[in-house]
Amino acid sequence: MPEIPKISNAEWEVMKIIWNQPQITSTNIIEELKNKTDWKPSTVKSLISRLLNKNAIGFNKLGSEYLYFALISEDECIKSESQSFINKVFNGSIKSMLLNFVESKEISETDIEELKNILNQSSEKKG
């Protein structure tokens, strides 16, 4: 698996659009972000440039337009960011993270039941 680059919060917003619409132009990315942010087009183009430099995205040139696409999957990025968060905040302990959410009432009874089902299914696959 290729190394997953560190992606800033702003870059995540651009990546979400590219993951949803591969082969998208910068103009379309700017248009998509217009309703979500107050970023100027130059800001969005800078974010695209940073993502290109990080090898998170690539492009195809079609005439005078550049069509951007992801070089890393959304799932890979989510896994990498999740692991980074767990390592940074909970010293790598998923148990500590879950315990924190349960004890702080940030997780509903419905969520707890769903987690139990997921853990049971995971346990059955491994067993």
Side-chain angles (χ1 to χ4, degrees):
M1 178 168 79
E3 176 134 355
I4 306 299
K6 281 285 188 206
I7 298 174
S8 71
N9 291 344
E11 291 165 347
W12 265 94
E13 293 304 314
V14 175
M15 288 301 296
K16 286 178 194 175
I17 293 167
I18 294 172
W19 283 319
N20 284 329
Q21 298 179 48
Q23 302 293 324
I24 187 170
T25 65
S26 60
T27 303
N28 291 106
I29 294 170
I30 291 164
E31 190 63 30
E32 287 277 330
L33 288 169
K34 192 188 305 186
N35 296 329
K36 297 177 187 174
T37 68
D38 58 355
W39 298 338
K40 293 179 170 46
S42 59
T43 301
V44 176
K45 288 181 181 179
S46 291
L47 292 169
I48 291 169
S49 179
R50 286 175 19 194
L51 289 166
L52 284 166
N53 289 334
K54 291 180 179 185
N55 291 317
I57 62 173
F59 67 88
N60 290 318
K61 192 167 189 281
L62 184 65
S64 63
E65 291 193 308
Y66 290 87
L67 302 172
Y68 298 98
F69 58 90
L71 294 174
I72 51 177
S73 75
E74 186 173 13
D75 285 344
E76 289 172 323
C77 285
I78 289 171
K79 285 177 186 172
S80 177
E81 286 294 319
S82 297
Q83 192 60 53
S84 174
F85 171 76
I86 292 167
N87 288 340
K88 182 176 13 179
V89 179
F90 298 100
N91 293 325
S93 172
I94 293 173
K95 179 182 171 185
S96 294
M97 181 191 72
L98 289 172
L99 192 58
N100 178 67
F101 284 113
V102 171
E103 287 177 346
S104 67
K105 310 267 190 267
E106 293 291 324
I107 189 167
S108 71
E109 287 297 323
T110 304
D111 289 337
I112 292 170
E113 286 304 314
E114 286 181 30
L115 280 170
K116 284 180 186 177
N117 290 333
I118 291 167
L119 291 171
N120 286 336
Q121 289 173 0
S122 177
S123 177
E124 289 169 5
K125 287 180 185 176
K126 292 180 180 178

